[in-house]
Short mmCIF file of all heavy atoms in Angstrom, two decimals:
data_model
loop_
_atom_site.label_atom_id
_atom_site.label_comp_id
_atom_site.label_asym_id
_atom_site.label_seq_id
_atom_site.Cartn_x
_atom_site.Cartn_y
_atom_site.Cartn_z
N TRP U 589 78.73 93.82 125.16
CA TRP U 589 79.38 93.11 124.06
C TRP U 589 79.27 93.90 122.75
O TRP U 589 80.25 93.99 121.99
CB TRP U 589 78.76 91.72 123.90
CG TRP U 589 79.26 90.98 122.69
CD1 TRP U 589 80.44 90.31 122.56
CD2 TRP U 589 78.60 90.88 121.43
NE1 TRP U 589 80.56 89.79 121.30
CE2 TRP U 589 79.44 90.12 120.58
CE3 TRP U 589 77.38 91.34 120.92
CZ2 TRP U 589 79.09 89.81 119.26
CZ3 TRP U 589 77.04 91.05 119.61
CH2 TRP U 589 77.89 90.29 118.80
N GLU U 590 78.12 94.45 122.48
CA GLU U 590 77.96 95.26 121.27
C GLU U 590 78.90 96.45 121.27
O GLU U 590 79.52 96.77 120.24
CB GLU U 590 76.51 95.73 121.14
CG GLU U 590 75.52 94.62 120.82
CD GLU U 590 74.08 95.12 120.73
OE1 GLU U 590 73.85 96.33 120.96
OE2 GLU U 590 73.20 94.31 120.44
N CYS U 591 79.03 97.11 122.41
CA CYS U 591 79.95 98.25 122.49
C CYS U 591 81.40 97.81 122.25
O CYS U 591 82.18 98.54 121.63
CB CYS U 591 79.84 98.93 123.86
SG CYS U 591 78.31 99.88 124.08
N LEU U 592 81.75 96.62 122.70
CA LEU U 592 83.11 96.12 122.48
C LEU U 592 83.40 95.93 121.00
O LEU U 592 84.42 96.41 120.50
CB LEU U 592 83.29 94.79 123.22
CG LEU U 592 83.40 94.83 124.74
CD1 LEU U 592 83.38 93.41 125.31
CD2 LEU U 592 84.67 95.55 125.17
N VAL U 593 82.53 95.23 120.29
CA VAL U 593 82.80 94.94 118.88
C VAL U 593 82.65 96.19 118.02
O VAL U 593 83.20 96.25 116.91
CB VAL U 593 81.90 93.80 118.36
CG1 VAL U 593 82.19 92.52 119.11
CG2 VAL U 593 80.42 94.16 118.45
N LEU U 594 81.93 97.20 118.50
CA LEU U 594 81.79 98.45 117.77
C LEU U 594 82.87 99.46 118.15
O LEU U 594 82.80 100.63 117.76
CB LEU U 594 80.40 99.06 118.01
CG LEU U 594 79.22 98.28 117.41
CD1 LEU U 594 77.90 98.88 117.86
CD2 LEU U 594 79.31 98.23 115.89
N CYS U 595 83.87 99.01 118.90
CA CYS U 595 85.02 99.84 119.29
C CYS U 595 84.60 101.10 120.04
O CYS U 595 85.16 102.18 119.85
CB CYS U 595 85.85 100.22 118.05
SG CYS U 595 86.69 98.83 117.28
N GLU U 596 83.63 100.95 120.92
CA GLU U 596 83.22 102.04 121.77
C GLU U 596 84.17 102.12 122.99
O GLU U 596 84.63 101.09 123.48
CB GLU U 596 81.80 101.83 122.26
CG GLU U 596 80.75 102.06 121.19
CD GLU U 596 80.52 103.53 120.94
OE1 GLU U 596 79.96 104.22 121.82
OE2 GLU U 596 80.91 104.00 119.86
N PRO U 597 84.46 103.30 123.48
CA PRO U 597 85.32 103.42 124.67
C PRO U 597 84.55 103.04 125.93
O PRO U 597 83.41 103.45 126.13
CB PRO U 597 85.70 104.90 124.68
CG PRO U 597 84.57 105.59 123.97
CD PRO U 597 84.08 104.62 122.93
N LEU U 598 85.20 102.27 126.80
CA LEU U 598 84.57 101.82 128.04
C LEU U 598 85.46 102.17 129.22
O LEU U 598 86.66 101.88 129.22
CB LEU U 598 84.35 100.31 128.04
CG LEU U 598 83.01 99.76 127.51
CD1 LEU U 598 82.88 100.03 126.01
CD2 LEU U 598 82.91 98.26 127.78
N LEU U 599 84.86 102.78 130.24
CA LEU U 599 85.53 103.03 131.52
C LEU U 599 85.05 101.96 132.49
O LEU U 599 83.85 101.84 132.73
CB LEU U 599 85.21 104.42 132.04
CG LEU U 599 85.83 104.78 133.40
CD1 LEU U 599 87.34 104.93 133.27
CD2 LEU U 599 85.22 106.07 133.96
N ILE U 600 85.99 101.17 133.03
CA ILE U 600 85.66 100.10 133.95
C ILE U 600 86.12 100.51 135.34
O ILE U 600 87.32 100.71 135.58
CB ILE U 600 86.31 98.77 133.53
CG1 ILE U 600 85.76 98.31 132.17
CG2 ILE U 600 86.05 97.69 134.57
CD1 ILE U 600 86.57 98.74 130.99
N PHE U 601 85.17 100.66 136.25
CA PHE U 601 85.45 101.14 137.59
C PHE U 601 85.32 99.99 138.58
O PHE U 601 84.31 99.30 138.58
CB PHE U 601 84.47 102.25 137.97
CG PHE U 601 85.01 103.24 138.95
CD1 PHE U 601 85.34 104.52 138.55
CD2 PHE U 601 85.20 102.90 140.27
CE1 PHE U 601 85.84 105.45 139.45
CE2 PHE U 601 85.71 103.80 141.18
CZ PHE U 601 86.03 105.09 140.77
N GLY U 602 86.35 99.79 139.40
CA GLY U 602 86.32 98.70 140.36
C GLY U 602 86.81 99.11 141.73
O GLY U 602 87.34 100.22 141.91
N ALA U 603 86.66 98.21 142.69
CA ALA U 603 87.08 98.49 144.06
C ALA U 603 88.55 98.20 144.28
O ALA U 603 89.12 98.64 145.28
CB ALA U 603 86.24 97.67 145.03
N SER U 604 89.17 97.46 143.37
CA SER U 604 90.59 97.11 143.53
C SER U 604 91.22 96.92 142.16
O SER U 604 90.52 96.66 141.17
CB SER U 604 90.71 95.82 144.34
OG SER U 604 90.22 94.72 143.59
N PRO U 605 92.56 97.03 142.08
CA PRO U 605 93.24 96.76 140.81
C PRO U 605 93.01 95.32 140.33
O PRO U 605 92.92 95.09 139.13
CB PRO U 605 94.72 97.00 141.16
CG PRO U 605 94.69 97.95 142.30
CD PRO U 605 93.48 97.56 143.10
N ALA U 606 92.92 94.37 141.27
CA ALA U 606 92.67 92.98 140.88
C ALA U 606 91.33 92.86 140.16
O ALA U 606 91.19 92.12 139.18
CB ALA U 606 92.71 92.08 142.11
N GLN U 607 90.34 93.59 140.64
CA GLN U 607 89.01 93.56 140.03
C GLN U 607 89.02 94.13 138.62
O GLN U 607 88.53 93.50 137.68
CB GLN U 607 88.03 94.36 140.91
CG GLN U 607 86.80 93.59 141.31
CD GLN U 607 85.77 94.48 142.01
OE1 GLN U 607 85.69 95.68 141.81
NE2 GLN U 607 84.99 93.87 142.87
N THR U 608 89.56 95.32 138.47
CA THR U 608 89.56 95.95 137.14
C THR U 608 90.42 95.17 136.16
O THR U 608 90.07 95.05 134.98
CB THR U 608 90.05 97.40 137.22
OG1 THR U 608 91.42 97.43 137.67
CG2 THR U 608 89.19 98.22 138.16
N SER U 609 91.53 94.60 136.63
CA SER U 609 92.40 93.83 135.75
C SER U 609 91.69 92.60 135.21
O SER U 609 91.72 92.32 134.01
CB SER U 609 93.67 93.42 136.49
OG SER U 609 94.42 94.53 136.89
N GLN U 610 91.04 91.87 136.09
CA GLN U 610 90.32 90.68 135.66
C GLN U 610 89.20 91.03 134.68
O GLN U 610 89.00 90.34 133.67
CB GLN U 610 89.75 89.93 136.85
CG GLN U 610 89.10 88.60 136.48
CD GLN U 610 88.43 87.91 137.66
OE1 GLN U 610 88.15 88.55 138.68
NE2 GLN U 610 88.19 86.62 137.54
N ALA U 611 88.50 92.13 134.95
CA ALA U 611 87.39 92.53 134.08
C ALA U 611 87.88 92.95 132.70
O ALA U 611 87.29 92.58 131.68
CB ALA U 611 86.60 93.66 134.73
N VAL U 612 88.96 93.73 132.65
CA VAL U 612 89.47 94.20 131.35
C VAL U 612 89.97 93.02 130.53
O VAL U 612 89.72 92.95 129.32
CB VAL U 612 90.57 95.25 131.56
CG1 VAL U 612 91.28 95.55 130.24
CG2 VAL U 612 89.97 96.54 132.13
N TRP U 613 90.69 92.08 131.16
CA TRP U 613 91.13 90.91 130.41
C TRP U 613 89.93 90.10 129.90
O TRP U 613 89.95 89.55 128.79
CB TRP U 613 91.99 90.01 131.29
CG TRP U 613 93.42 90.45 131.43
CD1 TRP U 613 94.05 90.87 132.57
CD2 TRP U 613 94.41 90.54 130.39
NE1 TRP U 613 95.35 91.19 132.30
CE2 TRP U 613 95.61 91.00 130.97
CE3 TRP U 613 94.38 90.26 129.02
CZ2 TRP U 613 96.78 91.18 130.23
CZ3 TRP U 613 95.55 90.45 128.28
CH2 TRP U 613 96.72 90.90 128.89
N TRP U 614 88.90 90.02 130.71
CA TRP U 614 87.70 89.27 130.31
C TRP U 614 87.04 89.94 129.10
O TRP U 614 86.67 89.26 128.13
CB TRP U 614 86.73 89.21 131.48
CG TRP U 614 85.42 88.57 131.17
CD1 TRP U 614 84.29 89.19 130.74
CD2 TRP U 614 85.09 87.18 131.26
NE1 TRP U 614 83.28 88.30 130.56
CE2 TRP U 614 83.74 87.05 130.87
CE3 TRP U 614 85.80 86.05 131.64
CZ2 TRP U 614 83.10 85.81 130.84
CZ3 TRP U 614 85.15 84.82 131.61
CH2 TRP U 614 83.82 84.71 131.22
N LEU U 615 86.86 91.24 129.14
CA LEU U 615 86.21 91.95 128.05
C LEU U 615 87.05 91.89 126.78
O LEU U 615 86.52 91.74 125.67
CB LEU U 615 85.96 93.41 128.45
CG LEU U 615 84.98 93.61 129.61
CD1 LEU U 615 84.93 95.07 130.02
CD2 LEU U 615 83.58 93.10 129.25
N ARG U 616 88.38 92.02 126.93
CA ARG U 616 89.23 91.93 125.76
C ARG U 616 89.08 90.54 125.09
O ARG U 616 89.07 90.41 123.87
CB ARG U 616 90.69 92.18 126.16
CG ARG U 616 91.68 92.24 124.97
CD ARG U 616 92.31 90.89 124.69
NE ARG U 616 93.16 90.90 123.53
CZ ARG U 616 92.72 90.67 122.31
NH1 ARG U 616 91.45 90.43 122.09
NH2 ARG U 616 93.56 90.66 121.27
#
Side-chain angles (χ1 to χ4, degrees):
W589 173 80
E590 290 179 358
C591 287
L592 287 172
V593 298
L594 292 173
C595 292
E596 287 283 291
L598 269 66
L599 178 69
I600 297 93
F601 208 108
S604 68
Q607 234 188 28
T608 62
S609 297
Q610 186 184 18
V612 170
W613 279 116
W614 175 269
L615 295 173
R616 186 267 175 272

